[in-house]
């Protein structure tokens, strides 16, 4: 996945405006404009890097006299104390842009790092680790980009690119599930034939009622391991089965071994901790 450049520049501009306001008063009175420096962006713990394009955009918007050299690109592993990138040029704009640049790379590398751990825990099973819409408003594309850098698979990006009929949709739109879902899926495919159709079910009985209507994906919400295995047996290879609901690093492998095709994990974005990345500045 690539981040749209216009979107990226807009996000960075908003972040800088929020932080700087009408001026960085601390740097203004402490750092002469003639002073140059080198800033080393360094991993303080092992991690997967994500967010380099934003770091570069921050410093380029601060001052086009600054240069950014990338040593460890996005999607790559960084050991503790590895230098990820080097920014060089006038010291003042480096100091002013430092916090915003670190906010981006710490948050996104945190998402990439936890995603990579989920992927590692399911190695050899063939399952896809999927993200969700549980993202910070305004940051969705960035956070989904970070998931992809960690080896995860992007689920739908919004309400516009995939049908997902959840329990509340079905409660009001198809109270008689066996009859109603066929009509809804037919309407969906006529309305947007380019979009996949996904239906959420809570029980094996609901799964049996939905399968004849041939959705592309069935979301198995909060199924037990035994019920997940049963769902795989019932559905065979007729549909992509997505397991969801409170998935953790401790449970994800057992879920993957049931034979489902994908596991959606809200924690990739809503609970990923920022990782420890620092910018160490030296005069040059």
């Amino acid at each position: 996945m690539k981040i749209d450049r216009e979107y990226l520049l807009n996000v960075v501009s908003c972040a800088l405006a929020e932080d700087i306001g009408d001026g960085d008063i601390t740097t203004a009175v402490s750092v002469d404009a003639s002073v140059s420096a080198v800033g080393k962006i360094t991993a303080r713990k092992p991690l997967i890097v994500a967010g380099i394009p934003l770091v570069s955009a921050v410093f380029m918007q601060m001052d086009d006299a600054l240069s950014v050299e990338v040593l460890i690109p996005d999607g790559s592993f960084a050991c503790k104390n590895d230098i990820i990138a080097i920014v060089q040029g006038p010291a003042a704009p480096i100091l002013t842009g430092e916090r915003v640049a670190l906010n981006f790379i710490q948050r996104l590398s945190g998402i990439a790092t936890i995603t990579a751990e989920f992927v590692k825990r399911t190695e050899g099973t063939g399952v896809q680790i999927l993200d969700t819409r549980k993202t910070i408003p305004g940051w969705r594309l960035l956070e989904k980009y970070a998931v992809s850098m960690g080896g995860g698979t992007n689920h739908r990006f919004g309400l516009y690119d995939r049908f997902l009929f959840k329990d509340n949709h079905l409660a009001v739109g198809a109270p008689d599930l066996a009859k109603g879902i066929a009509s809804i899926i037919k309407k969906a495919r006529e309305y947007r034939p380019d979009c996949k159709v996904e239906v959420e079910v809570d029980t094996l009985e609901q799964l049996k009622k939905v399968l004849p209507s041939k959705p592309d994906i069935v979301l198995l919400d909060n199924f037990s391991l035994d019920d997940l295995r049963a769902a795989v047996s019932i559905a065979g290879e007729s549909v992509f089965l997505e397991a969801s609901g409170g998935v953790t690093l401790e449970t994800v492998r057992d879920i993957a071994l049931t034979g489902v095709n994908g596991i959606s994990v809200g924690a990739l974005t809503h609970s990923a901790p920022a990782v420890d990345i620092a910018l160490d500045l030296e005069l040059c």
Side-chain angles (χ1 to χ4, degrees), residues 42-47 84 106 273-278:
T42 305
R44 295 295 192 223
K45 61 178 289 185
L47 54 86
I84 298 169
Q106 288 174 336
V275 290
D276 191 358
I277 299 174

Side-chain angles (χ1 to χ4, degrees), residues 148-258:
S148 71
M149 291 300 101
T153 300
N154 296 138
H155 201 282
R156 62 177 182 157
F157 282 80
L159 299 175
Y160 54 86
D161 65 339
R162 177 182 297 182
F163 293 100
L164 175 47
F165 299 106
K166 303 197 74 174
D167 53 358
N168 284 335
H169 296 99
L170 300 176
V172 297
D176 184 343
L177 184 60
K179 294 180 180 179
I181 193 61
S183 175
I184 286 176
I185 290 177
K186 182 175 182 293
K187 288 179 181 178
R189 290 194 164 126
E190 291 172 349
Y191 187 71
R192 284 290 300 275
D194 58 314
C195 292
K196 290 185 177 181
V197 176
E198 182 169 4
V199 180
E200 177 187 82
V201 299
D202 301 323
T203 66
L204 291 171
E205 287 306 309
Q206 288 182 346
L207 173 64
K208 293 173 184 177
K209 291 178 181 179
V210 163
L211 286 176
S213 300
K214 298 182 179 180
D216 299 297
I217 305 162
V218 174
L219 172 60
L220 308 170
D221 186 42
N222 284 300
F223 274 43
S224 68
L225 292 176
D226 285 342
D227 281 354
L228 287 173
R229 294 186 193 97
V232 171
S233 178
I234 291 167
E237 297 182 359
S238 65
V239 66
F240 185 102
L241 293 178
E242 173 189 341
S244 181
V247 181
T248 67
L249 286 170
E250 289 67 38
T251 63
V252 70
R253 185 163 186 85
D254 286 340
I255 294 171
L257 290 172
T258 65

Side-chain angles (χ1 to χ4, degrees), residues 97-140:
E98 174 185 3
R99 183 68 266 157
V100 170
L102 290 178
N103 283 349
F104 281 124
I105 196 169
Q106 288 174 336
R107 168 71 179 161
L108 299 184
S109 295
I111 292 171
T113 301
I114 194 65
T115 300
E117 186 58 34
F118 272 95
V119 171
K120 182 179 178 181
R121 297 284 179 101
T122 57
E123 199 170 29
T125 66
V127 77
Q128 295 179 18
I129 297 298
L130 309 170
D131 56 21
T132 70
R133 288 166 50 233
K134 297 174 183 177
T135 55
I136 295 174
W139 274 55
R140 181 166 298 167

